């Protein structure tokens, strides 16, 4: 089963249109003026460190027998994880890394962004 997890950070005072941002930034890789730039290299390093016991198939693809795999799509403003047969605890680890950078999860499977803890 596959699942995708999406993250970005709105600029302060920006109007939120989560589905449109998901499509533009997370799917099409477009730069969007209402989003903050993210420290992508730092984020990728934290992911690499957190999943150091997983096999790194490429700069953006990890797998571990019995744990599934994930692929990273990152731009200067957004990060998407395409997760395949992953355990919830491992997906939560990915979410925790992005939360540390102020980026809440957007789940396109249910069209919901979990950003109650942000200033919105």
């Amino acid at each position: 089963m596959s699942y995708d997890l999406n993250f970005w950070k709105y600029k302060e005072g920006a109007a939120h249109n989560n589905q449109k941002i998901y499509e533009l930034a997370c799917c099409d890789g477009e730069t969007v003026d209402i989003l903050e730039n993210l420290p992508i290299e730092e984020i990728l390093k934290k992911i690499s460190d957190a999943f150091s016991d997983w096999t790194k198939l490429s700069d953006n693809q990890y797998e571990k027998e019995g744990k599934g795999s994930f692929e990273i799509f990152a731009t200067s403003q957004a990060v998407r994880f395409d997760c395949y047969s992953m355990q919830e605890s491992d997906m939560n680890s990915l979410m925790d890394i992005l939360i540390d950078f102020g980026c809440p999860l957007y789940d396109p499977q249910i069209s919901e962004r979990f950003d109650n803890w942000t200033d919105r």
Side-chain angles (χ1 to χ4, degrees), residues 2-3 12 47 60 71 74-76 83 87 93 102:
S2 69
Y3 211 85
E12 189 173 323
I47 294 164
N60 64 348
E71 190 168 354
T75 69
S76 62
C83 304
Q87 297 175 4
S93 294

Side-chain angles (χ1 to χ4, degrees), residues 50-72:
F51 290 85
S52 62
D53 61 334
W54 288 49
T55 301
K56 193 171 183 178
L57 302 173
S58 69
D59 284 343
N60 64 348
Q61 193 172 12
Y62 294 76
E63 76 173 6
K64 186 171 184 180
E65 189 165 336
K67 296 265 194 168
S69 65
F70 65 94
E71 190 168 354
I72 305 165

Side-chain angles (χ1 to χ4, degrees), residues 37-106:
N37 285 331
L38 302 175
I40 296 300
E41 292 304 316
E42 189 178 344
I43 290 169
L44 295 175
K45 170 90 170 80
K46 292 221 181 233
I47 294 164
S48 180
D49 291 348
F51 290 85
S52 62
D53 61 334
W54 288 49
T55 301
K56 193 171 183 178
L57 302 173
S58 69
D59 284 343
N60 64 348
Q61 193 172 12
Y62 294 76
E63 76 173 6
K64 186 171 184 180
E65 189 165 336
K67 296 265 194 168
S69 65
F70 65 94
E71 190 168 354
I72 305 165
F73 172 76
T75 69
S76 62
Q77 296 181 319
V79 178
R80 184 185 78 222
F81 299 101
D82 295 324
C83 304
Y84 305 97
S85 302
M86 286 181 66
Q87 297 175 4
E88 185 175 335
S89 61
D90 292 320
M91 288 191 291
N92 285 341
S93 294
L94 293 171
M95 289 180 229
D96 290 342
I97 291 168
L98 273 294
I99 286 170
D100 287 346
F101 289 94
C103 299
L105 167 69
Y106 176 71

